[in-house]
Amino acid sequence: MTTTDSVPLRADARRNRERIVSAARELFAEAGAAVPMEEIARRAQVGVGTLYRRFPEREELTRAVAADYIERLAALTQAAAAEEPDAWRALRRLVRQCAAPQLGALSAALKVALPDAFIADPDLTRARLRWMAQVDELVHAAQADGALRSDIGTGDLILLISLLTCHLPELPAHLGRSLPARYLELTLDGLAAEPTARLPGVPITASDLGTASDSTRTAKCTQPRQDDR
């Protein structure tokens, strides 16, 4: 984290920082973390000079967005645990929220921009471990209740969330929009001790995939395209 993160800010400076991080979060999800700094300043409604005073380097801003992202994950986890009637329903809610288009796109952008930061940056690592501990409690509670299959671990669940935020860039637009929700429910149903959900959407046929280019077969995960959200 930057040294400015440990120094108390005046109220107006704090508001500006929050607006910048919020604008960057939105734009990273929309266009990736390489979006011009000037565009972030415009979205935040602050001057470019203000942005650079708070974040002299792009990586500092990206790390601030990453810290904000983890805080949001922790808040979502805490809310799900408090508001749902049991741990399994809390986990299902959390996975759906993590895989939602906006949050999923932000996760993909941060993975590209900071591939090693969640391991190399001590502050991000500590925050991520705290969030993982929250998820771990839900996993063990759901397994103790007999709702979640017993042969998976918390790491399995977190890696599945990462996979669910991936996107095959050459799929036809109508498939790109429908598949995340469909495969999310298929994944959740596979995690349950007993199947509980009906898949949304309709089965994808071989002819459906035939309308996509051959590059789909070997495409890497990318951020969702703008028309797929």
Side-chain angles (χ1 to χ4, degrees):
M1 312 308 277
T2 65
T3 55
T4 57
D5 291 328
S6 60
V7 178
L9 299 176
R10 300 191 316 271
D12 58 338
R14 184 172 63 253
R15 284 193 297 271
N16 282 340
R17 186 183 191 283
E18 291 170 354
R19 290 165 69 176
I20 292 168
V21 172
S22 178
R25 181 178 66 241
E26 293 173 4
L27 286 167
F28 285 7
E30 294 171 12
V35 64
M37 296 286 270
E38 292 78 9
E39 181 62 27
I40 296 171
R42 280 194 292 271
R43 178 70 65 92
Q45 297 184 324
V46 301
V48 175
T50 298
L51 187 154
Y52 279 106
R53 278 195 298 274
R54 292 264 55 86
F55 300 101
E57 301 292 337
R58 174 184 291 275
E59 184 172 324
E60 294 181 30
L61 175 56
T62 306
R63 288 175 184 270
V65 173
D68 177 79
Y69 167 72
I70 298 175
E71 288 175 6
R72 287 174 179 272
L73 292 182
L76 289 174
T77 307
Q78 184 176 2
E83 296 168 9
E84 294 298 325
D86 55 57
W88 174 229
R89 293 185 193 182
L91 277 175
R92 291 179 71 97
R93 167 173 157 176
L94 177 64
V95 172
R96 290 190 182 103
Q97 290 173 325
C98 289
Q102 199 73 5
L103 204 58
L106 177 59
S107 172
L110 291 172
K111 287 172 188 172
V112 171
L114 298 172
D116 301 318
F118 291 99
I119 298 174
D121 186 297
D123 292 321
L124 290 177
T125 297
R126 282 191 291 270
R128 182 170 178 267
L129 289 175
R130 285 194 296 270
W131 171 64
M132 290 173 63
Q134 290 178 284
V135 179
D136 197 49
E137 288 185 14
L138 289 177
V139 167
H140 288 303
Q143 288 174 328
D145 292 340
L148 175 66
R149 56 189 299 165
S150 61
D151 58 347
I152 71 157
T154 302
D156 288 312
L157 188 66
I158 291 173
L159 289 174
L160 280 172
I161 292 172
S162 295
L163 291 174
L164 288 167
T165 64
C166 288
H167 176 79
L168 294 176
E170 301 303 326
L171 284 176
H174 73 284
L175 294 184
R177 286 190 294 270
S178 65
L179 291 188
R182 179 173 176 80
Y183 293 143
L184 171 60
E185 294 305 323
L186 181 61
T187 298
L188 288 172
D189 209 41
L191 293 174
E194 296 181 6
T196 57
R198 181 178 177 82
L199 295 180
V202 297
I204 306 303
T205 67
S207 60
D208 288 327
L209 291 182
T211 63
S213 72
D214 289 342
S215 61
T216 300
R217 298 170 189 164
T218 56
K220 296 181 180 179
C221 291
T222 67
Q223 284 187 263
R225 295 172 302 188
Q226 197 67 23
D227 59 358
D228 289 346
R229 294 179 195 140

